[in-house]
Amino acid sequence: MTPPEPVVDPAPPTTFRARWAKRLLFLALPLLGLAYQVTAKETAQVMSGVPFGRLWLSKVLTVPWAEALIALEIISFCAWMVVLSEIKLSEAFPLSALSYVLVVAASWTVFHEPASLLQILGGVAILAGVWLMGRSGEPAQ
């Protein structure tokens, strides 16, 4: 007599929220991080020369770039909460490093800041690290 085979629960169906969490993780969060940094740079440029204090605070509250910065922070927070409710932190967080590479590329293309060889090599290392960490979650074949 052979023992009964163990019952294995099938994987739960992917929910609408889980599908959106993955889209947010791979596309929206790195782009939101990039947009946040670009608006921060634009805000800083507008605010340069304004001494920090009450005048600075009253001026920054009227700068459209600063308003966009606050809105992006709120949107990023909401997106990150959706992602973390569906995906393990150890799987989600490495992808947030992609925004570092995007920021270096934007600083070079949008703000015409020089990109050094070390920044380029660092970006390649980040991309390789994200790829390697992503592979660590794949089943071995």
Side-chain angles (χ1 to χ4, degrees):
M1 184 164 166
T2 60
E5 292 193 29
V7 176
V8 178
D9 289 334
T14 304
T15 65
F16 176 78
R17 184 178 168 126
R19 285 192 304 272
W20 268 103
K22 288 189 186 276
R23 289 181 183 127
L24 286 170
L25 177 62
F26 286 102
L27 182 61
L29 283 172
L31 292 177
L32 284 168
L34 170 63
Y36 180 90
Q37 294 304 322
V38 169
T39 55
K41 176 70 173 177
E42 293 288 354
T43 302
Q45 288 178 340
V46 170
M47 297 301 295
S48 68
V50 179
F52 188 74
R54 278 187 246 176
L55 175 64
W56 183 92
L57 186 57
S58 66
K59 179 167 170 91
V60 80
L61 293 174
T62 64
V63 173
W65 286 109
E67 294 167 358
L69 186 66
I70 293 167
L72 284 166
E73 183 65 29
I74 293 168
I75 294 166
S76 295
F77 173 79
C78 294
W80 190 238
M81 292 300 102
V82 170
V83 166
L84 290 182
S85 70
E86 298 293 333
I87 298 170
K88 293 188 291 186
L89 177 62
S90 62
E91 293 174 2
F93 189 72
L95 275 165
S96 66
L98 292 178
S99 64
Y100 300 144
V101 177
L102 294 174
V103 167
V104 170
S107 72
W108 178 56
T109 58
V110 175
F111 298 107
H112 307 290
E113 298 173 353
S116 71
L117 179 61
L118 285 178
Q119 288 174 313
I120 294 167
L121 291 174
V124 169
I126 288 171
L127 293 175
V130 168
W131 180 73
L132 288 171
M133 291 182 84
R135 288 186 48 93
S136 69
E138 294 176 4
Q141 294 184 3

